[in-house]
Amino acid sequence: MKLTTLLTTLCFLLPILPLVADEVTNIDEVEVRAKRIDKSSKTNAYTGSNATMADTALLATLQAAPLSEYLNQHSAIFVKESGKGMLSTVSMRGTAASQTAVCWNGIAINSLTMGQTDFSQIPIFFFDHAEIAPGGESSLYGNGAIGGSIDLRNSALDSCRFGGTAMQSVGSYGHTFSGLKLRGANAKFWEKTTLFFDRAKNDFHFNIKDYSGTQQQLQHNAAYHSYGLLQELGWHINKRQQLALYVWHTAYDRDIQPAIQNNKNPDKYEDISDRNTRILLHYLNRNWLTFSSKSAYINDHQTYKGDIIATHNLLANCEGEHEWTNSSQTASLQLKIGGQAQYIVPEVYAYNSDIDEWRNDLFAVASAQFGKHILLNAGIRQQWVSREEAPLSPSGGAKVYLVNIPQLQLSAKGNISRNYRVPTLNDRYWGNLDNKYLKAEDATNYDGGAECSFRHNNLTICLTGNRFHNDVDNWILWMPRGNVWKPINVDKVEVNGTELTLRADWKRHSLQAAYTNSHTEVIEGFSEMRPFKGRQIALLPESAFSTSYTGKWKSWKLVFSGAYTGERSTSDVFDVMQSYWLWNTALGHSFNLCDHTKLHLQFGINNIFDTDYQTVPYKAMPGRNFMGEVKLTF
């Protein structure tokens, strides 16, 4: 314990050491490193996974929405919503919500109590980029990356001027969103301040069936309001060194939307309050060795029925990276080695009071390129957790270009990885228990596919196809045991699936489509799981599809999207929730007011055909609704 404490202290001191050390002058030749790779760009691309950046043009049309809306409309990822603006979780490649790792500028932000992330509480307005990577990523991201990972990023400013964005959106059911961004930079310092306020009454009508037929009801107890601040400060110490501070604070107060059968019963009405504070200090030194050090404090605080469910999370990590290239630049090798120390103190009314936890990691990832045709990668991570065992997580993959010319690229790729998820704090300690019988989820992921890109004049077409298989041992489910619910390991769950993606760009027009088919089946488990043998596990669709078109004409912009969600069963395998399509559109126009100043107007329609649907059983969703937006950029 003393050694761990010492290592953690040293990691926290590393970001400030360069500020007091003598500055070193290096020759300019070493600085030209256009191939430098961050954690999840080139390294991730070499793994053979389907890592893609969220389309910035589509994100720009959803600035008043949470990230769950982008995933709903423009990906084949299943988003499970307990009502509009309520708890939203994702399923990637047929896995559970807690099996997706979510990172912010390289640090994990999944809830330590529940293990999952509420995507309704991730405002798109806060972030510059989002990378989505389906597939096992534990050697890169660590705990929880069994089904995939989502990495949110903020970029440093490189223009020396003051600017900003002010926007106001007004929509159906009392929805309003107000946002403000201010940014400024000079040769040494940069600063960005982002603020938002969001609220909705959510007083929509929905259909309910009873013995007398189909009736319409007004939704009660579904209102919410939230606000947030993201403050970014950066210092370019010299041409090679940078120090950045990020402070993210958001607050969400919302009613808990009741099940449709309790909609008119005030005795069933409840509310919940969330406060999230995340502080990150990042030091970066680009030299012969690219060195990165991050120190962070994360506090997640939830109040429900007067009870507190909170965690204090202190972490520090260090990474060193170097790339070797031969004299002819036909081959290269990149190696990154790093480690992380994390200390967690929960503040949960349902735990014993003397609980704390250390999580320490060591990892190494390497990628090699041979000419224009062969890319190889390998990774390994080991995590140590207090009172818990985490398996060693290796990975390896290859990508081979069968054709690699400017007009046509055809490649085949494959990847194998071992991934894991340790039981969450709730899994182990809820109800003043210490569930020592629980084992960490242990998964082996196999992934293979092909990619074809064609370019001719203004036309670019990219088509990818992947087949994946995931063996998950000790999948954790909560089940009733007498009068209480307890977490139990399901011995073996198997996931098989196929992914297809298409993107076509021609001049100022873009068409995208994504399809996922995944079958998640219990192979071995306890008696209650026997009805699901040979069947899809509850609440997960086998098929999901999305398509979107973006077109620009002069100062006009049109987005049209559709998303399909297949059938799902509930906990009763014979109770089938119907499949549905959702179609959305947005039309925008921009006006040039003066130099660097533009006025953007946008009008959108969601659920164009007024589809009656649910993603969670007995939780109503709104029908056709509208949104108008005014945005000024300067």
Side-chain angles (χ1 to χ4, degrees):
M1 182 63 73
K2 291 182 178 179
L3 177 60
T4 305
T5 305
L6 177 60
L7 289 173
T8 304
T9 304
L10 288 175
C11 286
F12 269 88
L13 290 174
L14 282 170
I16 63 172
L17 288 179
L19 305 184
V20 297
D22 291 335
E23 192 173 299
V24 179
T25 303
N26 298 279
I27 60 175
D28 290 338
E29 282 183 65
V30 184
E31 185 185 12
V32 182
R33 301 193 57 80
K35 293 184 179 180
R36 193 192 68 80
I37 312 150
D38 67 21
K39 178 174 180 178
S40 50
S41 58
K42 183 177 177 182
T43 302
N44 210 25
Y46 278 18
T47 65
S49 71
N50 284 331
T52 57
M53 297 299 293
D55 191 309
T56 54
L58 296 175
L59 288 174
T61 65
L62 293 169
Q63 290 291 289
L67 186 59
S68 55
E69 283 296 314
Y70 176 87
L71 299 176
N72 244 332
Q73 297 183 24
H74 303 294
S75 78
I77 296 172
F78 176 53
V79 180
K80 187 165 61 175
E81 297 179 283
S82 299
K84 189 68 173 178
M86 302 292 116
L87 174 66
S88 298
T89 59
V90 304
S91 170
M92 299 179 71
R93 288 189 168 184
T95 57
S98 57
Q99 294 168 341
T100 298
V102 181
C103 296
W104 169 55
N105 293 320
I107 63 169
I109 60 171
N110 291 65
S111 166
L112 294 168
T113 54
M114 294 291 291
Q116 61 192 26
T117 296
D118 185 352
F119 284 81
S120 72
Q121 296 187 14
I122 299 182
I124 292 176
F125 193 64
F126 264 8
F127 306 102
D128 301 313
H129 308 284
E131 184 185 69
I132 302 166
E137 299 281 348
S138 285
S139 63
L140 284 173
Y141 293 99
N143 181 50
I146 293 177
S149 61
I150 296 177
D151 194 6
L152 309 168
R153 304 179 195 167
N154 299 102
S155 301
L157 291 178
D158 53 7
S159 59
C160 298
R161 76 178 195 89
F162 174 79
T165 301
M167 65 173 290
Q168 178 64 54
S169 295
V170 179
S172 302
Y173 317 125
H175 184 206
T176 63
F177 180 94
S178 306
L180 176 66
K181 290 183 180 181
L182 297 174
R183 54 186 179 270
N186 58 27
K188 277 287 186 181
F189 300 95
W190 57 269
E191 180 274 340
K192 288 194 286 185
T193 301
T194 306
L195 301 160
F196 81 87
F197 180 78
D198 188 23
R199 70 182 308 162
K201 295 180 180 179
N202 260 346
D203 52 350
F204 56 87
H205 287 85
F206 65 90
N207 295 324
I208 183 170
K209 295 181 181 180
D210 55 26
Y211 295 107
S212 60
T214 301
Q215 309 292 331
Q216 268 206 344
Q217 282 191 18
L218 180 69
Q219 180 66 60
H220 298 294
N221 201 69
Y224 66 85
H225 69 271
S226 60
Y227 61 87
L229 162 71
L230 177 61
Q231 181 64 59
E232 306 169 61
L233 299 171
W235 177 18
H236 298 290
I237 302 168
N238 55 38
K239 290 183 178 181
R240 303 181 186 280
Q241 299 181 77
Q242 176 181 300
L243 186 67
L245 174 67
Y246 304 90
V247 179
W248 169 3
H249 178 76
T250 48
Y252 290 81
D253 295 293
R254 58 189 175 189
D255 299 331
I256 299 177
Q257 182 175 318
I260 56 176
Q261 61 268 33
N262 296 322
N263 184 51
K264 292 186 176 181
N265 185 358
D267 293 337
K268 300 292 185 179
Y269 295 171
E270 297 175 336
D271 58 72
I272 196 167
S273 175
D274 288 278
R275 302 287 185 273
N276 306 106
T277 302
R278 301 169 176 119
I279 303 172
L280 170 63
L281 181 65
H282 181 202
Y283 168 70
L284 181 65
N285 188 338
R286 295 186 179 97
N287 214 310
W288 179 87
L289 177 72
T290 298
F291 176 79
S292 172
S293 179
K294 297 172 183 174
S295 305
Y297 168 73
I298 301 173
N299 174 231
D300 296 324
H301 188 283
Q302 185 178 89
T303 304
Y304 173 64
K305 292 184 176 180
D307 295 320
I308 293 175
I309 303 172
T311 54
H312 302 272
N313 180 11
L314 197 63
L315 64 88
N317 66 42
C318 306
E319 300 174 359
E321 178 185 316
H322 182 65
E323 182 176 2
W324 293 268
T325 305
N326 65 358
S327 57
S328 61
Q329 294 191 350
T330 58
S332 65
L333 171 66
Q334 181 202 22
L335 176 66
K336 177 188 288 187
I337 298 176
Q340 176 171 290
Q342 183 178 13
Y343 181 60
I344 302 164
V345 178
E347 184 185 348
V348 180
Y349 76 96
Y351 296 0
N352 288 322
S353 58
D354 57 346
I355 296 171
D356 62 358
E357 181 166 295
W358 282 94
R359 298 185 183 185
N360 301 316
D361 296 69
L362 290 176
F363 72 91
V365 291
S367 58
Q369 178 176 356
F370 301 95
K372 295 182 179 180
H373 298 282
I374 300 177
L375 307 171
L376 303 176
N377 77 88
I380 190 167
R381 177 183 290 265
Q382 179 65 65
Q383 184 178 68
W384 294 270
V385 182
S386 301
R387 299 177 294 277
E388 193 65 41
E389 293 186 8
L392 184 70
S393 300
S395 68
K399 186 173 185 178
V400 178
Y401 283 91
L402 307 176
V403 180
N404 192 358
I405 58 177
Q407 296 81 14
L408 178 66
Q409 292 182 326
L410 177 63
S411 62
K413 56 186 177 180
N415 191 69
I416 181 171
S417 62
R418 187 182 185 186
N419 309 286
Y420 69 96
R421 184 178 75 87
V422 298
T424 67
L425 297 180
N426 278 6
D427 291 336
R428 282 177 281 158
Y429 304 121
W430 190 267
N432 299 316
L433 300 176
D434 187 355
N435 295 324
K436 297 179 180 179
Y437 62 88
L438 276 181
K439 301 176 182 178
E441 296 178 343
D442 191 347
T444 304
N445 184 78
Y446 307 88
D447 188 322
E451 180 176 346
C452 180
S453 297
F454 171 77
R455 297 176 179 85
H456 179 69
N457 295 333
N458 295 316
L459 176 65
T460 301
I461 299 175
C462 184
L463 176 65
T464 64
N466 285 280
R467 182 72 182 167
F468 58 87
H469 175 88
N470 209 347
D471 289 318
V472 186
D473 295 335
N474 305 317
W475 185 304
I476 298 173
L477 283 179
W478 280 70
M479 298 292 294
R481 285 294 181 265
N483 295 325
V484 299
W485 285 70
K486 295 186 66 177
I488 298 177
N489 287 119
V490 180
D491 294 333
K492 189 175 185 62
V493 176
E494 189 176 275
V495 185
N496 291 284
T498 303
E499 288 176 338
L500 298 171
T501 64
L502 169 69
R503 175 161 184 144
D505 293 283
W506 180 71
K507 295 184 178 179
R508 304 182 73 189
H509 304 271
S510 178
L511 177 67
Q512 300 182 56
Y515 170 75
T516 298
N517 180 276
S518 57
H519 181 72
T520 306
E521 179 183 341
V522 175
I523 304 300
E524 297 177 22
F526 44 86
S527 58
E528 289 91 340
M529 301 308 296
R530 288 174 187 165
F532 283 97
K533 285 192 175 183
R535 301 174 183 269
Q536 177 79 345
I537 204 166
L539 300 179
L540 292 179
E542 288 200 37
S543 298
F545 174 79
S546 74
T547 183
S548 62
Y549 163 77
T550 305
K552 297 178 182 178
W553 299 270
K554 296 182 179 179
S555 298
W556 291 91
K557 180 179 179 180
L558 173 68
V559 176
F560 186 79
S561 66
Y564 170 81
T565 300
E567 292 182 344
R568 295 89 63 221
S569 68
T570 65
S571 55
D572 178 355
V573 295
F574 301 106
D575 181 17
V576 177
M577 300 178 66
Q578 295 302 310
S579 60
Y580 59 87
W581 278 93
L582 291 177
W583 295 94
N584 310 282
T585 188
L587 178 65
H589 185 67
S590 298
F591 302 88
N592 290 315
L593 301 182
C594 58
D595 289 343
H596 305 297
T597 304
K598 288 187 177 182
L599 179 67
H600 307 265
L601 303 179
Q602 180 175 294
F603 178 74
I605 307 175
N606 296 318
N607 195 357
I608 296 173
F609 300 107
D610 203 24
T611 301
D612 188 0
Y613 72 102
Q614 298 173 8
T615 65
V616 172
Y618 312 113
K619 296 287 188 174
M621 296 296 290
R624 185 186 302 111
N625 58 93
F626 308 92
M627 176 70 76
E629 179 179 297
V630 179
K631 181 165 60 177
L632 181 70
T633 60
F634 53 91

